[in-house]
Amino acid sequence: MTILFELEDLARTRFASAPLPMYELVFTVHSGEWDRMLLPQIRPLAELVRPGRFIPDFFNSARPDFDEAVRQVLDVPATRVRDQIASMLGTTSPWLRSFAAGTPTSRQDLRSALHSGFRDLLCANWPDTRQAFEAEVRLRSSQVVARGLGDVLCNLHPSISWTSPALHVELGWDAEISLRGTGLLIVPVLNGLTRPAVSMFAEPQPLLFYPVASPQPGGASLELALGRTRTLVLRALTSERTTTELAKHVGVSLPTASQHATALRTAGFVSTHRNGRSVRHRLTRRGWELLN
């Protein structure tokens, strides 16, 4: 796909400010990599989001609050839902036929499946997802300042390239689309996604998704290199913290937190400054790059 930018599009292109829970859930289910023991709880969602098929665009919701995203999905007009199901899935089950017809019961079924899916597939790791998302966006924002938006777009993923005035995304099918002043919302995805994806019909602006490392606690290789506690300290400092706050967040003593922060500062991964009586720590750019 080729996405054509105008000057106004460049001015309005930005990174999402928070992970988008509806997309994180939908991409997870679409990947097919989840425990089939959960199927009875999320069957309506699994019928609509099938591996190897296009995801219906009525799941478009860039709301960072999951309850609001669910309401937005369920408020999609019945005619649009019916057309999407007919063109992408076909009414191959009694429930799909009921949902395509817009019955209140089927809408409630989907509501329950969405909430169950988020609870069972994402909720336990959502704080890690949010932390990893924020780390990725801060890193990319610093790169935009240092190298410019075009350079950052080229380095989001091997399947994405930028040749002014166009962004090229390898999707397996060809199209040329002009943004016409809306700009693009760029969304890192932590769950389920393995290749970039585009939603050109999202409102108020199209979305570009790209995968980043899953939100494990620093990753196994990082833990082997630094140790579990030091890795947790490193991840905790994606947000600026005092030594006391750091110790409470990681669950270690104050001297232990200070020792690990000092070691990471010596290695160039953490910066420290004094603010009144407190000492505050946060990741350096090198620290962001180590996590990502």
Side-chain angles (χ1 to χ4, degrees), residues 17-189:
S17 60
L20 304 185
M22 183 60 68
Y23 286 108
E24 295 280 350
L25 175 58
V26 167
F27 286 135
T28 297
V29 175
H30 190 254
S31 74
E33 297 179 2
W34 44 274
D35 189 346
R36 288 302 184 271
M37 293 287 289
L38 299 175
L39 184 57
Q41 287 76 42
I42 68 168
R43 187 180 297 276
L45 177 58
E47 288 201 38
L48 290 167
V49 182
R50 303 180 193 173
R53 300 284 191 96
F54 285 110
I55 297 172
D57 68 23
F58 54 75
F59 282 107
N60 286 342
S61 178
R63 304 286 177 87
D65 180 85
F66 186 64
D67 290 335
E68 291 182 5
V70 170
R71 284 194 290 271
Q72 185 176 17
V73 169
L74 296 176
D75 284 344
V76 171
T79 54
R80 182 176 165 196
V81 171
R82 184 172 59 249
D83 292 344
Q84 286 278 299
I85 291 177
S87 63
M88 292 184 175
L89 302 172
T91 51
T92 55
S93 75
W95 185 84
L96 274 178
R97 288 193 290 272
S98 176
F99 187 67
T103 64
T105 301
S106 66
R107 293 289 177 111
Q108 184 57 47
D109 290 341
L110 180 57
R111 182 193 302 275
S112 298
L114 289 168
H115 282 287
S116 294
F118 185 77
R119 180 193 66 224
D120 296 334
L121 295 171
L122 298 180
C123 194
N125 292 323
W126 193 249
D128 288 335
T129 294
R130 180 178 290 278
Q131 190 174 55
F133 180 96
E134 291 172 353
E136 171 70 12
V137 170
R138 290 188 189 206
L139 173 64
R140 298 301 183 182
S141 298
S142 68
Q143 291 174 344
V144 169
V145 172
R147 307 202 299 261
L149 179 60
D151 184 85
V152 171
L153 290 173
C154 278
N155 289 282
L156 292 176
H157 189 273
S159 298
I160 300 174
S161 61
W162 168 259
T163 305
S164 183
L167 184 71
H168 307 280
V169 186
E170 296 178 16
L171 297 176
W173 46 277
D174 294 328
E176 184 174 283
I177 298 174
S178 177
L179 292 175
R180 300 186 184 280
T182 64
L184 199 64
L185 184 66
I186 305 172
V187 186
V189 176

